[in-house]
Amino acid sequence: MPTALEASPGERLRTLRDLLGLTGADLHRLTKISQSWISQVETGAREPAEDRLCIIAEATDTPMSFFYAQPSSVPLDSLRFRKMATASRTVTRRISAFYGESFRVTEELTGQAGYPPPPLPFASSSDLSDEDIEELAAQTRVALRLAPDKPIPHLTRALERAGVAVAPIVLPDPTGDSVSPTNKHFGVSYWAGIGETALVAYFPGNQGDRDRFTLAHELGHLVLHTFRPRATDPEGEANRFAGALLVPQERARDELTDRLTLEGFARHKQAWGVSIQALILRGAAVGNIGESRKRSLYVQLTQRGWRKEEPVSVGQEAPLLLWSLLQRQYGDKPYLRASDQLAIQPTILRSIAPQAVGKVSKSDAGQPRPNGKVIAFQKRTARPESDVRDAAL
């Protein structure tokens, strides 16, 4: 029997089913292995026969090393999710498994490269005021080596350069090659603390401003809740932090006033890469917009159909760090080569570390496209970086 420090093939089999969205019946149809055997192995009632694990591995395109890999060190009850209250528990379980494998792979890749861990500030007091959160957001900008009062050109790259890995979550659809819907989930994150790996994962959507807010929100969880796991209102605190990080307090007080029309908020959206709805809430958070004016603005948003689809599209950011580390270690076509060593199915690895796409030139970054849309903020703030970070990014 495996020791407490070894991987359990039965537990890993259950993790594989969660990753791929397969029921016991699905796996039986793929492999002709009985559901009772699958269930008994997963619960530890019987030892797994290696020949049957080989059949499962072949049927699911999974390396045998997966079943013997040490599980992620992430305590799943410590994960912070940005999701709707009606999110499916089944999908949340899948996402937890996916995140655990993403974290395991991230630890392996950053460890191999000697990539520095993030120097994030953190909250330790049991109670935090709004001003405390504003100050921690300002300190985080310093840690990310960002200007204290300017728009963040590329939040994803700022996180990665500071040592916070970013990974998209694309869940394989068990019925085909398409991907499953996010099902009311937006992001998830974990950081064990000083000197440890940090990973922010998110569901890439069609709205770059939503993705940027999700990343800022999850970063807020790392800063505010790593050492305060029992905060009374963690989601509210993370939302306040995200607004403060993306639009610093003094600039928000100067610009997000109750005199702004929705067109004015749209112009600020283009400048800051933050949705009109989030900017209204930010103006309210700094005391510039009262409850009556906020309600009026939201009524106008609804009347114009902007609650569902706002004007001014903010281009999507793409992560780069994990792909760069994977490519350096395993070459230009790394997924199959790395699959066995990293003990992960190639399709899952491709989701965790997607291949980098072409970059937008600095001169075009953040400028309107001919169709009125805005391309992703790509300009980087000039700053000294470690040799390891320069080599990776």
Side-chain angles (χ1 to χ4, degrees), residues 147 157 199 268:
R157 203 70 70 247
L199 173 66
H268 285 298

Side-chain angles (χ1 to χ4, degrees), residues 1 7 35 50 85 94 105 122 131 140 152 166 197 199 238 274 296 305 329 369 372:
M1 294 291 290
Q35 289 182 245
E50 187 154 314
R94 284 194 71 190
V105 169
F122 56 88
E131 285 305 310
T140 301
I152 301 174
V166 177
T197 301
L199 173 66
V274 178
S296 172
Q329 183 72 17
R369 293 180 180 181

Side-chain angles (χ1 to χ4, degrees), residues 19-20 60-61 63 98 101-102 104-106 109 166-172 177-179 202 204 318-324 326-327 330-340 342-357:
L19 280 174
L20 301 181
T60 59
D61 193 27
F98 202 103
E101 292 304 296
S102 300
R104 181 177 64 80
V105 169
T106 297
L109 290 175
V166 177
I169 294 181
V170 181
L171 301 178
D177 293 331
S178 60
V179 297
Y202 71 106
L320 178 61
L321 174 60
L322 295 180
W323 162 257
S324 297
L326 188 69
Q327 184 184 42
Y330 299 99
D332 289 338
K333 297 180 179 180
Y335 298 118
L336 289 177
R337 294 177 186 173
S339 177
D340 186 65
L342 295 177
I344 193 75
Q345 196 217 42
T347 301
I348 303 296
L349 182 58
R350 183 176 284 108
S351 173
I352 296 169
Q355 184 171 356
V357 295

Side-chain angles (χ1 to χ4, degrees), residues 112-304:
Q112 289 173 357
Y115 203 79
L120 295 176
F122 56 88
S124 56
S125 301
S126 57
D127 296 319
L128 288 181
S129 67
D130 289 343
E131 285 305 310
D132 292 332
I133 295 174
E134 296 281 345
E135 176 58 28
L136 283 162
Q139 292 175 19
T140 301
R141 276 187 166 245
V142 173
L144 300 183
R145 298 188 178 185
L146 295 167
D149 61 350
K150 299 291 192 300
I152 301 174
H154 199 303
L155 179 58
T156 303
R157 203 70 70 247
L159 291 174
E160 292 179 321
R161 284 183 170 270
V164 179
V166 177
I169 294 181
V170 181
L171 301 178
D173 188 333
T175 64
D177 293 331
S178 60
V179 297
S180 64
T182 62
N183 214 16
K184 304 178 182 179
H185 292 74
F186 301 103
V188 57
S189 57
Y190 178 73
W191 178 42
I194 301 168
E196 300 294 335
T197 301
L199 173 66
V200 170
Y202 71 106
F203 286 91
N206 296 321
Q207 302 172 28
D209 50 283
R210 190 203 72 174
D211 291 347
R212 279 165 58 89
F213 194 90
T214 292
L215 294 179
H217 176 100
E218 294 301 330
L219 179 61
H221 281 313
L222 303 185
V223 171
L224 302 177
H225 305 126
T226 294
F227 298 101
R228 297 175 59 251
R230 295 177 178 82
T232 303
D233 182 21
E235 294 306 303
E237 290 181 351
N239 281 335
R240 175 85 187 210
F241 177 96
L245 181 78
L246 292 168
V247 188
Q249 189 174 52
E250 291 305 314
R251 292 295 299 272
R253 285 174 172 165
D254 289 343
E255 299 178 13
L256 305 180
T257 70
D258 59 1
R259 298 185 300 276
L260 274 180
T261 63
L262 289 185
E263 286 75 16
F265 278 103
R267 287 191 293 273
H268 285 298
K269 175 181 179 178
Q270 181 170 343
W272 291 96
V274 178
S275 73
I276 293 172
Q277 297 172 67
L279 288 172
I280 292 170
L281 292 177
R282 182 62 178 147
V286 299
N288 280 356
I289 298 175
E291 190 62 31
S292 175
R293 177 57 176 162
K294 185 174 72 171
R295 284 197 302 269
S296 172
L297 288 167
Y298 270 84
V299 167
Q300 294 176 53
L301 283 170
T302 300
Q303 291 172 341
R304 298 189 188 194

